[in-house]
Each structure stands twice: as structure tokens, then as C-alpha cells.
Amino acid sequence: MGKKGKRDKKGKGAEKTLAKMEKKVSRRAKKEEEDLEALIAEFQSLDAKKTQVTESSCPPPSPRLNCSLCAHPERDELILFGGEYFNGQKTYLYNDLYIYHIRKNSWAKVDIPNPPPRRCAHQAAVVPTAGGQLWIFGGEFASPNGEQFYHYKDLWVLHLATKTWEQIKAPGGPSGRSGHRMVACRRQLIIFGGFHESARDFIYYNDVYTFNLDSFTWSKLAPAGMGPAPRSGCQMTPTPEGNIIIYGGYSKQRIKKDVDKGTLHTDMFLLKAEGAGKEEDRWAWTRLSPSGVKPTPRSGFSVAAAPNNRCLLFGGVHDEEEEESIEGDFFNDIYFYDIGKNRWFPAQLKGPKSERRKRRRGRQAEAEAAGGEELQLPPPQGPLEIIKEVVAEDGTVMTIKQVIPGAAEDKDRSDSEEEEEEEEEGGALGQPVEPCPRSSAMVAVKHGVLYVYGGMFEVGDRQVTLSDLHSIDLHRMDEWKVLLEMDPKTQEWLEESESDEEEDDDVEGAEGGEEEEESSEEESEDEEGEQQQHPAVQPGEAQAQYVARTEQYWLRLARSHMGPEAKDKKVLKVAHAMAKTFYEDPT
């Protein structure tokens, strides 16, 4: 009785602290959001000029993060909406709508009047009602410098059959947030967690709301039991029984002024509907303790429903904090969670059938050669780490670390788990084609096939935003297919703006400076000779390709002008400026 009373008091104290923090964040964020509302209104006025629906074939979407990707409930299509892109200096927000036609492997852009404002880190869910509906809630808008945020609390529905957007205005919904999770389950949308951030403060949530798709009303749940701590970016999966599974996520807390500490959550909870079907459902939290091989701690992972009463987790990042920097280990592995067995296990490629036959024949030949003796198999291997190096356009060496989990040893396996054994078996298939390690990828499953679009990885202060598209059959788990390639080396990255004086130095260096031009006739002749020998632009060659191909030449030229005392970073910047100038005007 005493312990229960203490727990209740502790819970009420946490609720009061959370309420105070929410008010504090709300007050400070109000001014920021008022400033951004004017910018959002300006974008909406541009959208208002769209008066008719148009759908046209187009190139794939530009690289972006934190958009939504959903499978059409009735057609062989994927629907991509919104997102953001950061080029090192400026943040771009989107509210465009793309359709990926699976059978044709082609993209189409759909312009529909009165769309939701530009946003990222929102949530989307599809339901099969009336030819299909795409529901969108929340998300955020950021100022171009990425220092101010506006968090949405609006609810929208895209009627897929008629191609019309509709904003649903119903009272009593969640506060503005991003990084939350939303699923459609039994004629309702269920929303959990997320965060709200201003320039100086932040708050994470662990509240639960439902939106009834028949009555169009919001309800805030008050589940019994001890639930998850506040977090964002977690896994949220509905079960066939109408319950909800929560796994992992990320949150941070302020230790002292300007010092925050992040937490990677690895716990798992079940939100169970008790008395389902009655007039008012009662919900309760219980903590799950799954068996098997759990995913390594990470954030930025992606989740999707998988065949055979499973859900899957793909990719993510584990940040290792050092004294003055944060280095991330990125992943491209898949973990399955079997809902019925409450069990995690890593998935590995089986390889094409021809490769599997070769391996079987090889094992049979080895057994025969051993004279019927029992073949001694090597012990299960631990995680395998593969490190790849890619040289970027600006000369930065990107080190991509890939961790492949080893085959899991499980002593207590029944005959019913043979399928899982196959999936965990893996094998040496050389160097298979697969998505590079990444976090924040967009995933969707259609007809048992997983589609992975985009994501990002980091190299130092540089962020590479991807726009590639891969797929894998979750029934066969044989091999990844590349539907759309992207070369990370070609992506432009702008360093943070330096002082005006440094910029002037850069321009002076690129142009050679007045003193250098007048220093001697001999140097002028050398410069003319060098100019005549500039590497020519090849027919059809893109600017990024030209800069990468001729970088060493322009680096030598820039160094000769700027002298040995110039910083390497500045020399590289000037060299790229010279190369781009010559590309645009070879005369």
C-alpha cells in the first residue's frame, strides 16, 4: 500500500512538472511561431493559385528527409508527401505530393488545390474508406536558417479517389508536435508521443490520443498502468487484436544551462484495449519482455508492418558522444518482431536460388569428401563490421560503417521456427547490392515487398541526404533490388557562412588579386599558359562531374595563387569556385 502510494505521488508529480514545462515552452514558442506564421501564410498564398488538379510524369523527387511514404490501399502505388532538405546553410520545406507507380517504376507529381502547408516530421496513415484516404497530422515548419520552429496540430485527409484535400477541424486534439507516431487501427487514428521545440526549450510527450474516423471526434486516453517515458521517433505497431505496441525511441533532457543529455530507449510496451467494442474502451499499459535477438540501441530507425503477423525495423543510427563531437554509426540491417511469439530476430539475405543451390551442393561435396564423417560447422559468428570509404565532390572522405548481425544461436527452437531459422541463416554471397547504412529512411510495404526510399548519413559536419529507392521481397528475403540509384558524391554541400572578411579573401583568391595581376609579366604569361591548358568540359558532362574529375588540377592552380600559408579548406573552396566558373564560361 505504501509503495503504491509513493508511485502514485511520483506519477502525479511528474504530470505537474510536465504541465509546467509545457506552459513554459508554449509561452516562449508563441513569439517564434507568430513570426513563422507570416512565412507559412506567404507559401499558402502561392498554393492558393492552384485551381485544378494536375498529374504529370516527372523525375524522382529531390532528396529530402522526414517526409511520409505510404502504400495506396487499393492500387499498386506509393504516396510520398512533404519533407525537408538541408544543404549546409539553408533548410527547405516541401508540401508536394508524388506518386510512385510500382509496376512502371516511374514517378508522377500531383498538384491538388489547397494542400496542407509545407512540413516535415509529420505522420501519415492510409485507410481503405471510399477509394482510399491518406490522413496527415502534425509535423513542423522551420525557418530557412533552421533556428525557429512552428509545430502543427492540424489534421488533414487526402481523398485519393477524388484527389481532393480536406482539413478536418475538430476540438480536443493533441498539442502541436513533431516526431510523434500515428497508426490507423479499427476505424480510428491513434497518436502517441512526439516533441515540441523552440529556440531555447523543448518538451517530449508520452500522451495518447484517438481520432474516431466515423464521428470525427478526438479523445485523450488515460490508460491504467505505468506506460513509456516521454519520447519521439519510436516504433508504433497495431496488432490484429486492436492493441498497440511501442518500442524504443529518443528523448533528451536538460542537465544544466545549454547542456542536454540524449537517451536512446530500448524498452517495449503493449497498450491493450480492454472491453473493446463497448461504448467506451478502457486501455491499459503493460511492459513487454521479448525474447530473441533484439535490435542494438539506435534512433532514426524506420518501421513497417510485415507479412506473417510481424513488424520490421530498418536502419537507424547510434551516436557516440566524444569530447567535442558526435560520431554516428549508421545501420542498414533489418530486424523482425514476431507479434504472436513476442520475439525479435535479425533478418539476413538468403541469396538467389541459384546461389543457395551452389552452397548446398558445396556442403554435400565437402561431406562426401570427408568420408561420411560429420561435417564440423564453424561456430555462429558475431556482428560483422564493414567499412567503406567514399570520396565526396569537395574532397571529404566519407567513412560509411555497416554492421551486419551474425547468425543467432537459439537452443530452444521448435519445428514451427524453421522458417525463422532460414531467415536468420544468412550466408556469404560476396558483396550484395543493398541500401547503404542510413537513418530516417522512408519505408512502406506493398504486396509483401518492402520499399526503402532515401534517408541520410553524416560525415563530420556534413549531412548527405539520399533519394535512392530499393526494394526486397519479405517472403523470399533473397536479394535487394535497386529501383533508383543515387551517387552521394554528387550532392552539393555548402559550408556555414564565414565572416565578410573571409569571403572577400575567397573572392580575391579566386580572381588572383590586383597585386598578383601586376606582380610581373612572367607570372601573367604563366597564367595565360595555364588558362590555355584548363581541362576541357566533355560533351554532356554535368557540373558536379566536371568538378570532381578536374579537382586536383584546380587545387594545384588555387594553391599556386594563394600560397602555401592558405588554409586547405579555403583553397578547396576557391578551387571549386574556379572550376564552376570555367564550366559555366570556358572562354
Side-chain angles (χ1 to χ4, degrees), residues 262-440:
T263 300
L264 288 177
H265 299 279
T266 58
D267 46 4
M268 200 165 189
F269 294 84
L270 177 70
L271 179 60
K272 189 173 182 180
E274 298 177 339
K278 294 183 180 179
E279 209 169 291
E280 188 173 332
D281 291 348
R282 290 173 298 151
W283 297 78
W285 286 111
T286 55
R287 187 159 184 156
L288 295 176
S289 298
S291 62
V293 182
K294 302 172 187 176
T296 54
R298 64 188 71 189
S299 63
F301 53 77
S302 308
V303 297
N308 302 321
N309 196 26
R310 298 170 179 170
C311 58
L312 66 84
L313 180 152
F314 170 81
V317 59
H318 182 272
D319 290 324
E320 297 177 356
E321 297 187 19
E322 298 179 356
E323 287 185 7
E324 296 182 356
S325 64
I326 296 178
E327 183 180 346
D329 288 338
F330 290 82
F331 304 97
N332 63 349
D333 47 1
I334 294 177
Y335 281 84
F336 284 109
Y337 174 70
D338 189 306
I339 296 173
K341 297 177 182 176
N342 187 27
R343 181 174 183 268
W344 282 104
F345 62 96
Q348 292 186 350
L349 301 187
K350 299 176 185 177
K353 286 185 178 179
S354 58
E355 292 286 346
R356 294 205 296 273
R357 286 197 203 100
K358 287 178 185 177
R359 292 205 304 273
R360 281 199 298 270
R361 288 171 185 167
R363 286 198 293 264
Q364 289 170 1
E366 288 175 13
E368 290 170 5
E373 294 180 6
E374 185 178 348
L375 184 62
Q376 296 294 320
L377 297 176
Q381 295 181 350
L384 175 65
E385 187 176 280
I386 298 176
I387 298 178
K388 305 174 186 176
E389 288 191 349
V390 178
V391 181
E393 177 188 333
D394 62 359
T396 304
V397 178
M398 305 181 192
T399 303
I400 304 175
K401 188 183 290 184
Q402 175 180 351
V403 180
I404 300 176
E409 184 176 11
D410 191 343
K411 297 177 182 178
D412 303 322
R413 291 186 179 175
S414 63
D415 294 337
S416 63
E417 292 175 322
E418 287 181 1
E419 182 186 353
E420 291 177 9
E421 287 180 354
E422 271 193 5
E423 290 173 354
E424 294 174 11
E425 186 182 38
L429 303 178
Q431 192 64 34
V433 176
E434 58 190 355
C436 71
R438 64 192 67 195
S439 72
S440 305

Side-chain angles (χ1 to χ4, degrees), residues 543-574:
Q543 184 187 78
Q545 293 173 320
Y546 175 77
V547 173
R549 180 174 62 83
T550 63
E551 183 180 69
Q552 292 304 315
Y553 169 82
W554 293 106
L555 275 172
R556 288 195 299 271
L557 187 58
R559 176 64 73 184
S560 69
H561 285 314
M562 300 174 69
E565 70 282 352
K567 294 181 180 179
D568 290 343
K569 184 178 177 182
K570 191 175 291 185
V571 173
L572 180 66
K573 192 172 182 179
V574 171

